Amino acid sequence: MRWHNTFSQWFTIGNGTRQGGVLSPMLFARYIRDLLHALVSTKVGCNIGGLFFNVLAYADDIVLLAPSWAALQQLLDVFSLGVCEIDMVCNVKKDSLYGICTL
C-alpha cells in the first residue's frame, strides 16, 4: 500500500468477511439479494398469521419454508440455480430438511 510517498510492508488480502464482524450479515444479505428475490418470487411458501414466508436469512444462515415436499423441492431447485449463479458454496454437513410447515 502506498500513502503519499511512503510504502507499507507487504501483506496479503483474503476473500470473504470476518466471522462475527459487524458488517458481515449486511454484506452477506447484499451478496444473496438476487437469490432471495428469486425465492420470494416463486410465491411458494407458508402462510403464517396472514403473512407469506418461504425463506428466512440472517448472517450466513438460510432457512427455506414450504407447505409440502413438492413445494420444498421447487424452492430447492430455485435455490440451487441461484447458488450456482453467484458461485456460492453451501456446507452440506450443516444442512437439514426441517422446512415443512404443518400449520
Side-chain angles (χ1 to χ4, degrees):
M1 174 178 274
R2 186 175 98 173
W3 177 262
H4 296 288
N5 291 327
T6 305
F7 289 90
S8 70
Q9 295 179 356
W10 286 96
F11 59 94
T12 59
I13 298 175
N15 61 0
T17 58
R18 198 183 87 215
Q19 182 72 25
V22 175
L23 287 177
S24 295
M26 185 184 337
L27 293 173
F28 184 67
R30 177 62 181 103
Y31 179 67
I32 64 168
R33 186 173 77 171
D34 292 339
L35 171 61
L36 296 177
H37 178 70
L39 288 166
V40 171
S41 295
T42 64
K43 302 294 186 197
V44 173
C46 298
N47 184 335
I48 302 172
L51 298 173
F52 171 79
F53 295 93
N54 70 354
V55 61
L56 305 173
Y58 180 75
D60 62 349
D61 295 318
I62 299 173
V63 177
L64 299 177
L65 301 169
S68 68
W69 288 104
L72 182 58
Q73 185 61 58
Q74 185 178 349
L75 291 176
L76 286 170
D77 292 342
V78 171
F79 181 78
S80 178
L81 287 173
V83 165
C84 289
E85 286 179 8
I86 61 174
D87 198 27
M88 188 170 87
V89 178
C90 296
N91 182 355
V92 296
K93 293 179 182 175
K94 287 177 50 177
D95 292 348
S96 57
L97 291 175
Y98 295 109
I100 304 299
C101 298
T102 56
L103 301 176

